[in-house]
Amino acid sequence: MAEPGLAVRRKSRPGSVGKRSRAPVQPSAVCSPVARKRASSGGEGPPAETPCSNDSEEDMFGDYDSFYGNDSLLAQVDDIEHKYLQDKNTDVRAAGEIVLGNFQSGSHHKKKDNFSTSENVVILKADKEDALQMNENDLVDSSQEPTEFILDDLPSSQLLYFEKMDELSSASRPSSVSERRNKCVNSSSDKIRSPSSFCPDAEHRNRPADFSSDSKCDLFKSESLKDHLKSAMTGNAKAPTLQVSKTKQLKEAVLSEEICVARKTIESSSVDIGPFYGLPSKVKDLFRQFRGIEMLYEWQHECLMLESLQQRKNLIYSLPTSGGKTLVAEIIILQELLCRQKDVLMILPYVAIVQEKVRGLSSFGIELGFLVEEYAGSKGRFPPIKRRIKKSLYIATIEKGHALVNSLIETERIDDLGLVAVDELHMLGEGSRGATLEITLAKILYTSKNTQIIGMSATLNNAGDLQKFLQAEYYTSNFRPVELKEYVKIRDTIYAVDSKTENGFTFSRLLNFRYSSNLEKADPDHIIALVTEVIPKYSCLIFCPTKKNCENVALMVCKYLKKEFKAHREKEKQDLVKNLKTIGNGSICPVLKQTIPFGIAYHHSGLTNDERKSIEEAYSAGVLCLLACTATLAAGVNLPARRVILRAPYVANDFLKKNQYKQMIGRAGRAGIDSAGESILIVQEKDKHLVRDLVNSPLENCYSNLLLELTKGMQSLLLSLIGLKIAVTHEEVEDFMRSTLLGVQQQLLSKEKSLSEIIKDGLENLIGKGLLEGRISEKDHNSRCTLTVTPLGKATYKGSIDLAYCNLLYRELKKGLEGLILESNLHLLYLATPYDMTSNCSPDWMIYLRQFNQLSAAEQKVADVVGVPESFITKKASGQAIRKNVDSAVVNRLYLSFVLYTLLKETNIWNVSEKFNMSRGYVQNLLNSAASFASCVLHFCEELEEFWVYKALLTELTKQLTYCVKTELIPLMEVAGVLEARAKQLYNAGYKTLAHLANANPETLVKMIEHLSRRQAKQIVSSAKMLLSEKAEALQEEVEELLKVPTDIPETH
């Protein structure tokens, strides 16, 4: 393993810890004293002549060797040179040392004779005040600055000569000198905000002459030091006298040099870049403090030092689950934010993971001075606020990441985005979300040549296609911090997975557990035998095919466990039950009430957000030792276990895919806790041959979904390409499409039609829907006819509305303008109910009628306006035949609107789920989807002037749906990770505003708030500080904008 300290090539000086150290430069980037003088004097005076040009110069001193007509100085130089050149092992640089020593001998005798001109480069201190202090007692030491006296005494052309001498010797003694020089550069001040505003052009920064190593040697052989010195004197005599104070000039030069070096360092491709991979040593301390990370794994160090990363090439890297991929991404993100001063977008697959990452990185943002902004659900600004000083890390879901990129392209700010980091890159091959991710990355690649893309995944097979698509390098390793042992159980025999054997399995052991006949019937798969081998001392996960199966397994296991299991951490389990009751306003799931005392729970989408969070925290803390869960946990938050059991090789009714299998078993083994992790797949005899193929087969390939997901894929892409003016003709669109993953895989994916024909069909479809205007010639579809987006088309792509529903949404909003019923928010809620949830909704007609009858007369009118008459609901409830044809999608949508309406009134998911006989997880999902869709409809309406009336109404409704709590709790719930139950606790404890939380003491919070760990308290305070900082920055931006003097004020002539 490589410790971060080992990976660090140089340590920063004590004075600079806590400040951002500049990354290092190649030795050539360090400007000479003369270069600094010139930079500060604005290039005044002619450049010093190089030694090569001496032959054509008139010898201004005739036959004299010195100013005084005697041979004292130059003769001494000559003698000394011959004397030193006789010794082959003497560094060439020594000649320069003696000469300089002789120049100063009249006034300063030095105790040290190891002077080297490379060390005469001004050392840049961490503090500006120290940077220019000169020590007059010592000439130069490797840790001290050269004296102002020397630099003032030496004319510029002579400084140039010593710089050249330094260059000549660098080839023979590079290690010690360049190391010291790099060390000097690394400790440069971080107080300068914008290197680019000061740094002169490269031509002015470079040394006046550039020699190859061979020419340097020849030059040195052919001309003596005496001749060089005469040439330097000639240059001095010709040079005009500078009017600027040399001290002031030097100070300006040092400042300019610091900035130049810093900027060159950032642009440098050097792999040796500073205390902690080009970051301040403080970052290393923060990883230790916040994450407990003492060392980096060897592969992480190797990956961070890749040549391709130093050159800012795109990179895909793939490692098994739990290998530490995210840490590498976070270090690269911090490099971009702090060193290159660019914004960063991090794309994660699920809302819960986005919120977890916002909480985790807010602490770093507070300490290091960047903003962390959440883009998930209904949260996020489009376009994001352009910050003046601080840079932003946008953490987004796939859909919000796409909307964010669109807004940056539209406002011509895409180049502000320095880096895009994508977790779970294999999701490119997963349905409509994969299509959206592909569209996002293709747009970035096409519109910005400066944005780097980093993709990571545990399950990639056809990396070659993805490399071609992302124009990326590929890094892979089989490293796992904990060894994973794979097993398969058939009846009571356990086999080890071994691909080297003929049938793929080798006998491992027989289960040693006595089963009674009753237990054998209840547990034919021997799950109890498998789990009791590890719990309660170690943790265990059981992946089940369905949600119901999770609950049944949890109940069955606790039913047959010994009573001693209850004693393990009993008090904490009682507290968990109490906490879950508080969350449910007195209600708790009967299954959880029965299983938690044994340290067992289930985990699936049927839980509310608050319940899921409490169970995850209890499992992480070791209070719960066994979770029965669905496959979604494998792709979600990180909950590792000593043993992972797969209840069956199925997800719902579908046979397990290799990618899913790998993700599930990847949860086995906890780094730093377990010496090994185990996975056991329970197999029935009938599935034996399928499982053998599964465990020994390669991972599935990742294929583009642009064609399979037509409205969310290809058509959505074509619409936004033309709307954003990325491509406006058929020819330009085709050029763009060649750079997508579909373009890379087109021969595999579209055998019937060419890419050109697919594009033509897509464009005609959009024109037919009224989203595009223009014409594509039948005879020549490569016609340069320009296509434009209609107002409806623009509203559709800016609102991220599914093209399957955009016309329907427009008609319903238009109809709403004729008679929007505003006595309550029911009508608005109907318009904000997501279309895609209506297909899997089956109304209970008696409940439907009961809820309808509880509405006021005005609210009942809403049903009539949208097209669901009372008579229809009554007949359905009484089981009568229906003659009139009513749209079932509208009926289902209204039913879901009733659920949301009740939920906003009661703000209690438990009560509402019981009232409508739905699972509370389904109600929670409906609420989350409605909040997100309401936000989309709001953006849709903002683009269409006729819908101005909806803007204010939908803004408020989106807020209500996002939090679904009493108004006073909303400020607290804006903080990442604070859900309703926690917000109530905080509010009751006196933390009623964002400012209260941001200024809270974490230790006090732990004492006052039940079931709150120290780590959670610190994260809440950090998140609150970050949010407060964001809001303050936004207001500051507004003030700056208001006070800005317009550049186009009319003037009288």
Side-chain angles (χ1 to χ4, degrees):
M1 286 185 187
E3 189 181 358
L6 300 177
V8 175
R9 297 303 174 89
R10 292 173 304 283
K11 292 181 181 175
S12 59
R13 298 190 307 193
S16 64
V17 172
K19 294 188 180 72
R20 193 175 91 237
S21 293
R22 292 292 181 190
V25 242
Q26 300 286 4
S28 62
V30 183
C31 302
S32 65
V34 67
R36 285 195 297 276
K37 284 196 171 197
R38 293 228 171 107
S40 64
S41 63
E44 202 176 321
E49 301 297 328
T50 63
C52 298
S53 63
N54 284 349
D55 294 341
S56 62
E57 290 292 336
E58 180 188 348
D59 190 344
M60 295 176 70
F61 302 102
D63 294 325
Y64 291 99
D65 278 333
S66 79
F67 298 112
Y68 302 105
N70 60 36
D71 61 357
S72 61
L73 178 62
L74 294 181
Q76 284 179 59
V77 170
D78 219 11
D79 290 342
I80 290 162
E81 184 185 24
H82 284 299
K83 178 185 170 185
Y84 269 74
L85 290 178
Q86 281 170 5
D87 185 355
K88 289 181 183 178
N89 295 321
T90 302
D91 196 314
V92 176
R93 196 173 307 195
E97 294 164 11
I98 301 301
V99 173
L100 187 56
N102 277 308
F103 259 100
Q104 301 298 334
S105 61
S107 54
H108 290 274
H109 287 286
K110 301 300 163 197
K111 293 178 183 177
K112 297 179 183 179
D113 61 358
N114 64 340
F115 172 73
S116 92
T117 48
S118 81
E119 293 167 359
N120 202 17
V121 174
V122 177
I123 311 269
L124 307 174
K125 280 243 180 183
D127 295 305
K128 286 183 186 175
E129 298 80 40
D130 297 320
L132 296 160
Q133 286 181 357
M134 302 297 182
N135 186 337
E136 293 183 14
N137 297 322
D138 296 295
L139 180 58
V140 168
D141 185 63
S142 62
S143 63
Q144 291 176 326
E145 288 77 0
T147 67
E148 185 175 298
F149 181 83
I150 292 169
L151 288 171
D152 277 359
D153 245 28
L154 294 178
S156 57
S157 57
Q158 197 155 330
L159 284 171
L160 173 64
Y161 162 67
F162 286 127
E163 182 202 287
K164 286 201 191 322
M165 293 298 293
D166 179 29
E167 275 187 310
L168 296 180
S169 62
S170 63
S172 62
R173 196 171 53 177
S175 56
S176 62
V177 177
S178 63
E179 187 176 338
R180 280 194 294 266
R181 182 185 311 184
N182 282 344
K183 193 169 181 181
C184 299
V185 172
N186 265 333
S187 61
S188 64
S189 167
D190 181 49
K191 294 184 180 179
I192 300 156
R193 287 285 177 192
S194 176
S196 58
S197 59
F198 296 93
C199 198
D201 292 334
E203 289 85 28
H204 299 295
R205 284 202 304 260
N206 292 342
R207 294 182 173 88
D210 188 22
F211 298 99
S212 68
S213 55
D214 291 337
S215 64
K216 284 176 186 173
C217 296
D218 293 339
L219 175 70
F220 197 75
K221 285 174 190 171
S222 62
E223 295 198 64
S224 70
L225 183 62
K226 175 179 169 183
D227 293 330
H228 279 300
L229 204 51
K230 284 176 72 174
S231 171
M233 290 173 177
T234 305
N236 289 336
K238 286 184 175 181
T241 306
L242 293 173
Q243 300 303 311
V244 185
S245 149
K246 286 181 182 175
T247 307
K248 184 181 177 185
Q249 186 182 14
L250 178 61
K251 286 180 179 179
E252 287 176 1
V254 171
L255 183 62
S256 178
E257 171 66 8
E258 268 192 314
I259 298 163
C260 291
V261 167
R263 186 167 184 196
K264 257 197 163 181
T265 298
I266 291 164
E267 293 165 357
S268 163
S269 61
S270 166
V271 293
D272 189 5
I273 54 170
F276 186 68
Y277 303 104
L279 292 163
S281 51
K282 183 179 182 179
V283 174
K284 185 180 166 187
D285 299 335
L286 291 176
F287 276 115
R288 187 184 292 118
Q289 182 187 333
F290 296 142
R291 306 278 178 81
I293 295 170
E294 294 286 343
M295 296 188 297
L296 263 65
Y297 298 127
E298 193 173 323
W299 83 264
Q300 291 172 325
H301 171 64
E302 191 180 293
C303 186
L304 286 165
M305 301 305 284
L306 286 173
E307 186 75 19
S308 52
L309 269 186
Q310 311 307 322
Q311 294 170 2
R312 298 198 76 246
K313 289 181 181 174
N314 295 343
L315 177 72
I316 299 168
Y317 60 100
S318 176
L319 278 99
T321 303
S322 306
K325 295 183 294 295
T326 309
L327 178 60
V328 170
E330 287 174 352
I331 291 172
I332 297 168
I333 285 168
L334 291 175
Q335 286 173 345
E336 197 67 33
L337 288 164
L338 303 180
C339 300
R340 297 191 181 92
Q341 290 285 300
K342 290 276 191 178
D343 296 329
V344 175
L345 168 61
M346 188 179 199
I347 297 177
L348 301 170
Y350 304 109
V351 174
I353 305 176
V354 167
Q355 291 171 341
E356 185 183 39
K357 191 56 69 182
V358 169
R359 289 197 301 275
L361 288 175
S362 287
S363 312
F364 286 85
I366 296 296
E367 294 290 333
L368 299 169
F370 61 86
L371 298 171
V372 179
E373 301 186 38
E374 181 184 339
Y375 279 75
S378 62
K379 292 185 178 178
R381 292 172 187 253
F382 303 103
I385 295 171
K386 190 172 174 66
R387 309 290 181 181
R388 291 171 304 117
I389 298 171
K390 289 187 178 179
K391 294 299 156 190
S392 291
L393 168 57
Y394 310 115
I395 303 180
T397 56
I398 291 169
E399 293 75 16
K400 288 290 178 180
H402 179 224
L404 178 68
V405 167
N406 279 349
S407 69
L408 290 172
I409 292 170
E410 187 175 36
T411 52
E412 298 180 350
R413 285 170 51 195
I414 191 66
D415 282 332
D416 290 351
L417 205 58
L419 174 72
V420 176
V422 183
D423 196 9
E424 311 294 357
L425 188 65
H426 60 268
M427 287 198 74
L428 277 166
E430 295 185 16
S432 62
R433 306 194 78 216
T436 304
L437 182 56
E438 181 181 344
I439 291 168
T440 306
L441 296 176
K443 284 176 180 173
I444 293 165
L445 285 164
Y446 196 82
T447 58
S448 174
K449 301 304 171 197
N450 302 317
T451 305
Q452 186 182 16
I453 295 175
I454 304 290
M456 56 195 134
S457 174
T459 54
L460 278 183
N461 190 37
N462 56 333
D465 283 357
L466 300 188
Q467 269 186 273
K468 200 171 173 185
F469 163 45
L470 294 177
Q471 300 151 37
E473 302 288 314
Y474 182 54
Y475 176 90
T476 186
S477 166
N478 290 321
F479 172 82
R480 271 192 117 253
V482 176
E483 184 192 0
L484 173 61
K485 297 173 181 174
E486 289 180 54
Y487 298 100
V488 167
K489 187 189 86 65
I490 303 170
R491 296 197 187 94
D492 61 350
T493 309
I494 292 179
Y495 300 91
V497 173
D498 186 356
S499 56
K500 293 170 189 170
T501 60
E502 192 178 335
N503 68 355
F505 304 137
T506 54
F507 174 81
S508 176
R509 64 187 173 97
L510 286 169
L511 273 179
N512 183 21
F513 189 86
R514 288 184 183 177
Y515 267 74
S516 65
S517 57
N518 282 344
L519 185 53
E520 188 72 48
K521 285 177 189 172
D523 182 23
D525 294 325
H526 310 111
I527 290 170
I528 290 168
L530 294 173
V531 300
T532 50
E533 288 177 348
V534 288
I535 67 168
K537 189 178 180 184
Y538 301 107
S539 57
C540 182
L541 293 174
I542 304 176
F543 283 103
C544 304
T546 64
K547 288 185 279 191
K548 190 65 185 167
N549 195 224
C550 290
E551 296 175 30
N552 291 341
V553 165
L555 279 169
M556 185 270 293
V557 171
C558 75
K559 189 176 179 182
Y560 290 96
L561 283 181
K562 294 176 181 174
K563 300 296 177 219
E564 293 89 85
F565 279 88
K566 282 190 170 184
H568 180 73
R569 301 182 75 160
E570 189 174 9
K571 167 89 173 56
E572 288 157 289
K573 288 187 285 198
Q574 287 171 355
D575 286 345
L576 177 59
V577 170
K578 206 161 104 183
N579 187 32
L580 289 171
K581 273 187 180 173
T582 307
I583 288 168
N585 281 354
S587 303
I588 184 172
C589 168
V591 175
L592 290 175
K593 189 178 180 181
Q594 198 173 332
T595 61
I596 285 173
F598 289 90
I600 298 167
Y602 64 84
H603 184 290
H604 57 58
S605 61
L607 296 167
T608 66
N609 291 345
D610 279 299
E611 286 174 320
R612 194 180 302 124
K613 194 161 185 286
S614 294
I615 286 168
E616 286 167 1
E617 285 169 358
Y619 177 81
S620 296
V623 176
L624 296 175
C625 55
L626 174 66
L627 290 184
C629 51
T630 52
T632 50
L633 184 138
V637 289
N638 187 22
L639 296 175
R642 173 68 169 267
R643 177 176 287 179
V644 168
I645 299 167
L646 279 71
R647 170 78 179 73
Y650 290 90
V651 172
N653 297 319
D654 301 323
F655 194 77
L656 204 59
K657 291 178 183 173
K658 183 60 179 271
N659 289 354
Q660 292 170 323
Y661 172 72
K662 278 288 184 188
Q663 284 213 314
M664 289 180 193
I665 68 170
R667 294 295 181 205
R670 297 163 302 168
I673 301 171
D674 300 326
S675 55
E678 325 172 299
S679 71
I680 300 173
L681 172 56
I682 298 172
V683 181
Q684 307 302 322
E685 198 69 45
K686 66 182 177 71
D687 293 327
K688 193 174 172 182
H689 65 288
L690 290 172
V691 168
R692 187 180 291 117
D693 292 341
L694 170 74
V695 295
N696 294 305
S697 65
L699 293 161
E700 288 85 12
N701 285 337
C702 180
Y703 294 117
S704 170
N705 276 272
L706 286 182
L707 293 182
L708 294 174
E709 299 290 334
L710 202 58
T711 57
K712 287 186 178 178
M714 177 60 87
Q715 289 184 10
S716 173
L717 172 57
L718 294 175
L719 178 64
S720 61
L721 283 182
I722 289 155
L724 294 167
K725 297 184 173 63
I726 296 171
V728 293
T729 66
H730 187 288
E731 195 174 34
E732 288 172 356
V733 171
E734 201 169 325
D735 181 52
F736 177 93
M737 292 305 299
R738 279 192 284 269
S739 66
T740 62
L741 182 58
L742 174 62
V744 172
Q745 299 174 332
Q746 62 173 344
Q747 292 180 327
L748 276 172
L749 302 178
S750 61
K751 291 174 182 173
E752 295 89 24
K753 285 184 178 181
S754 69
L755 195 57
S756 183
E757 289 172 319
I758 293 166
I759 293 165
K760 179 175 177 287
D761 290 349
L763 292 173
E764 285 177 344
N765 190 294
L766 292 172
I767 291 168
K769 283 184 175 179
L771 303 175
L772 291 182
E773 286 174 343
R775 190 173 51 80
I776 302 165
S777 168
E778 284 296 324
K779 292 178 184 175
D780 178 17
H781 53 251
N782 281 324
S783 161
R784 290 193 168 274
C785 175
T786 301
L787 293 159
T788 54
V789 71
T790 63
L792 176 61
K794 187 177 182 184
T796 301
Y797 83 77
K798 289 197 78 171
S800 302
I801 304 293
D802 188 337
L803 270 63
Y805 306 118
C806 61
N807 288 96
L808 177 58
L809 175 64
Y810 177 81
R811 286 197 300 272
E812 291 195 321
L813 288 168
K814 188 84 173 165
K815 191 176 178 183
L817 290 179
E818 295 167 15
L820 191 63
I821 296 163
L822 293 174
E823 185 179 282
S824 72
N825 55 12
L826 178 62
H827 199 166
L828 266 181
L829 276 170
Y830 173 80
L831 295 172
T833 302
Y835 291 104
D836 54 6
M837 290 199 72
T838 57
S839 56
N840 59 0
C841 167
S842 302
D844 181 315
W845 296 106
M846 289 306 295
I847 294 171
Y848 208 146
L849 182 61
R850 193 183 310 129
Q851 291 300 316
F852 180 84
N853 288 334
Q854 287 174 7
L855 299 174
S856 68
E859 288 170 337
Q860 286 182 356
K861 197 179 169 189
V862 173
D864 215 32
V865 168
V866 300
V868 185
E870 182 183 356
S871 58
F872 174 83
I873 300 170
T874 309
K875 284 178 180 177
K876 273 286 189 183
S878 60
Q880 294 177 37
I882 309 290
R883 289 178 191 170
K884 192 179 177 184
N885 190 22
V886 177
D887 188 345
S888 62
V890 174
V891 173
N892 291 358
R893 197 164 175 232
L894 183 63
Y895 187 66
L896 293 178
S897 304
F898 284 178
V899 177
L900 291 169
Y901 180 59
T902 311
L903 193 54
L904 287 186
K905 277 202 299 187
E906 299 188 14
T907 68
N908 186 305
I909 288 174
W910 269 92
N911 292 354
V912 174
S913 64
E914 285 171 11
K915 201 169 271 187
F916 285 87
N917 196 22
M918 292 174 165
S919 81
R920 60 197 185 283
Y922 181 84
V923 176
Q924 176 77 73
N925 187 33
L926 172 64
L927 180 64
N928 295 345
S929 299
S932 189
F933 187 65
S935 169
C936 292
V937 177
L938 171 60
H939 292 305
F940 180 87
C941 292
E942 283 173 344
E943 297 303 317
L944 296 167
E945 206 172 310
E946 60 196 293
F947 294 148
W948 63 272
V949 71
Y950 288 115
K951 291 178 196 174
L953 296 170
L954 286 169
T955 301
E956 189 53 39
L957 184 70
T958 303
K959 201 171 183 182
Q960 287 177 12
L961 288 168
T962 300
Y963 301 110
C964 191
V965 290
K966 290 176 181 172
T967 312
E968 64 266 20
L969 297 180
I970 290 177
L972 300 177
M973 286 187 66
E974 286 180 333
V975 177
V978 175
L979 300 176
E980 185 181 1
R982 185 73 77 213
K984 282 179 180 173
Q985 285 180 311
L986 291 165
Y987 189 86
N988 293 335
Y991 297 95
K992 300 188 176 183
T993 66
L994 185 59
H996 281 139
L997 268 189
N999 293 288
N1001 183 335
E1003 297 301 325
T1004 311
L1005 278 181
V1006 171
K1007 288 173 189 170
M1008 294 182 71
I1009 308 296
E1010 282 188 334
H1011 321 300
L1012 184 70
S1013 70
R1014 188 166 279 99
R1015 178 173 162 272
Q1016 290 163 348
K1018 285 178 179 174
Q1019 283 191 342
I1020 286 173
V1021 172
S1022 290
S1023 297
K1025 280 180 178 171
M1026 178 56 68
L1027 190 57
L1028 200 61
S1029 172
E1030 268 179 53
K1031 292 191 171 192
E1033 286 273 330
L1035 290 170
Q1036 187 63 39
E1037 303 287 343
E1038 224 173 292
V1039 170
E1040 294 278 327
E1041 198 60 38
L1042 281 170
L1043 297 177
K1044 195 194 287 182
V1045 179
T1047 53
D1048 56 351
I1049 299 172
E1051 291 182 14
T1052 54
H1053 296 288

